[in-house]
Amino acid sequence: MIAIFIISIIIYTIGIVIIYHNTYNLEKIEKIKFTLISAIIIFIITITICNISTKNIQVENEEYLKITKTTAILILSPINLIILVPYLAAGINKHKEKKLSPQILTKRIIITIILTILIAIFEIGYIENFQIGLLQSANKI
C-alpha cells in the first residue's frame, strides 16, 4: 500500500506541474487556486465513482473492500487529473491571452465535462472489476 501511495504522489506531482505549466499566463495565486480546486474536484469525482462501483460488491470483510477502494482512488484520481485538467487549463490560459474566444472556451469546458462523464462511465465498470480481482486475490492468500 505504501508503494501505491508513493506512486500516487508522484503522478499527482506530475499532474500539478503540467497544470501549473499550462496556466503560465495566470498570476501565481490564480495558478495555485486553479490547481488545488481542480485537484479537489477530480478527487471528489473519483471518490464518487469508486463509491458507485462498490455498491454492488458483497464481501465478508469490509476492511478488504475499504483497501481496494482506497487503492483505486489513489491510482485513478491523479490519472484523471492528468487526463482532464491540463486541456482546460491551457484553454483558460489562451483565453486570458485573448487567443481563444469565450465561445471556444465554452466548447472546451463542454468537451471536458463530456470527457469526464465518459471516463466516469468507463471507470465504474473498470473499478468494480479491479476491486473484485483484488478481493479474489486477497481471498486466495
Side-chain angles (χ1 to χ4, degrees):
M1 189 65 145
I2 292 173
I4 292 171
F5 185 73
I6 291 169
I7 291 169
S8 178
I9 289 186
I10 291 169
I11 298 171
Y12 258 119
T13 303
I14 292 168
I16 288 168
V17 168
I18 292 170
I19 294 165
Y20 195 84
H21 175 72
N22 281 354
T23 55
Y24 60 87
N25 204 28
L26 300 178
E27 292 191 26
K28 189 174 186 175
I29 192 72
E30 289 177 325
K31 287 181 184 185
I32 293 169
K33 283 182 185 178
F34 180 80
T35 303
L36 288 176
I37 291 170
S38 60
I40 291 168
I41 290 170
I42 295 297
F43 187 74
I44 291 169
I45 290 170
T46 306
I47 288 173
T48 304
I49 291 168
C50 286
N51 287 334
I52 291 169
S53 69
T54 58
K55 199 161 67 166
N56 297 326
I57 299 176
Q58 303 294 324
V59 294
E60 292 176 20
N61 188 344
E62 288 292 322
E63 191 63 30
Y64 286 153
L65 188 59
K66 186 178 175 182
I67 291 169
T68 60
K69 189 188 296 188
T70 302
T71 303
I73 291 168
L74 286 173
I75 292 171
L76 292 173
S77 186
I79 293 172
N80 289 343
L81 182 74
I82 289 174
I83 292 171
L84 295 170
V85 180
Y87 176 71
L88 188 58
I92 290 169
N93 195 56
K94 287 182 181 179
H95 176 68
K96 198 90 158 149
E97 294 176 330
K98 308 281 190 231
K99 292 181 180 177
L100 201 63
S101 69
Q103 294 83 9
I104 295 175
L105 180 61
T106 303
K107 286 180 185 178
R108 281 194 176 202
I109 293 170
I110 292 169
I111 289 170
T112 303
I113 291 169
I114 291 170
L115 190 56
T116 303
I117 293 168
L118 292 174
I119 287 172
I121 292 168
F122 169 76
E123 283 183 355
I124 287 171
Y126 175 78
I127 291 171
E128 184 175 359
N129 291 333
F130 170 77
Q131 290 176 337
I132 290 171
L134 282 177
L135 290 168
Q136 288 173 344
S137 294
N139 288 332
K140 290 179 184 176
I141 295 176

